[in-house]
Structure formats: C-alpha cells, structure tokens
C-alpha cells in the first residue's frame, strides 16, 4: 500500500534510478534555500559516484518523514 506508493513516487516523480532509491537514508532528505524560498531535496549519490540534489514535492517529502 503506502510503502509501494512512496517507492513509485520516488522512482517516477523524483526520477531516481532503482539503485538510488534502494540506497536512500532518512539523512538524505534535507532543505535547500533558494533566495526567499526553501524546497525539500534528496542528496543522491548517483551513477559514477556523482552527487546531486533532487528536488521533491512537499507531499512526497511528508510521506517520507
């Protein structure tokens, strides 16, 4: 149910690869400032050991935490 929707949301809405979604930890969820605004991002170590910040919707962030 809910866990499956969360995994699909991460794969589809955040554009994560299977391995990236499997290796996520709660510590990877954070906030990023953009001038006067903030957004929730995932700190992803992706293919080729490249680090990237992937913005996610607040609804998806609430489901994670």
């Amino acid at each position: 149910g809910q866990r499956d929707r969360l995994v699909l949301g991460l794969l589809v809405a955040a554009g994560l690869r299977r391995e990236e979604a499997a290796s996520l930890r709660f510590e990877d969820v954070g906030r990023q400032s953009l001038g006067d605004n903030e957004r929730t991002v995932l700190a992803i170590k992706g293919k080729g050991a490249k680090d990237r910040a992937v913005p996610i919707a607040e609804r998806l962030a609430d489901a994670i935490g």
Side-chain angles (χ1 to χ4, degrees), residues 44-60:
I44 302 294
K45 184 168 291 266
K47 195 171 167 181
K50 295 179 184 173
D51 294 330
R52 62 187 174 120
V54 178
I56 59 172
E58 292 303 318
R59 185 174 175 188
L60 187 55

Side-chain angles (χ1 to χ4, degrees), residues 3-51:
R3 182 195 63 184
D4 295 341
R5 280 193 300 272
L6 178 59
V7 170
L8 286 174
L10 288 169
L11 292 171
V12 175
L16 297 185
R17 293 177 180 91
R18 176 185 60 202
E19 186 67 29
E20 292 170 341
S23 65
L24 273 179
R25 300 168 303 170
F26 286 108
E27 300 86 43
D28 295 334
V29 180
R31 302 289 292 171
Q32 183 181 55
S33 291
L34 294 172
D36 293 340
N37 297 324
E38 279 194 344
R39 65 181 180 177
T40 304
V41 295
L42 298 174
I44 302 294
K45 184 168 291 266
K47 195 171 167 181
K50 295 179 184 173
D51 294 330

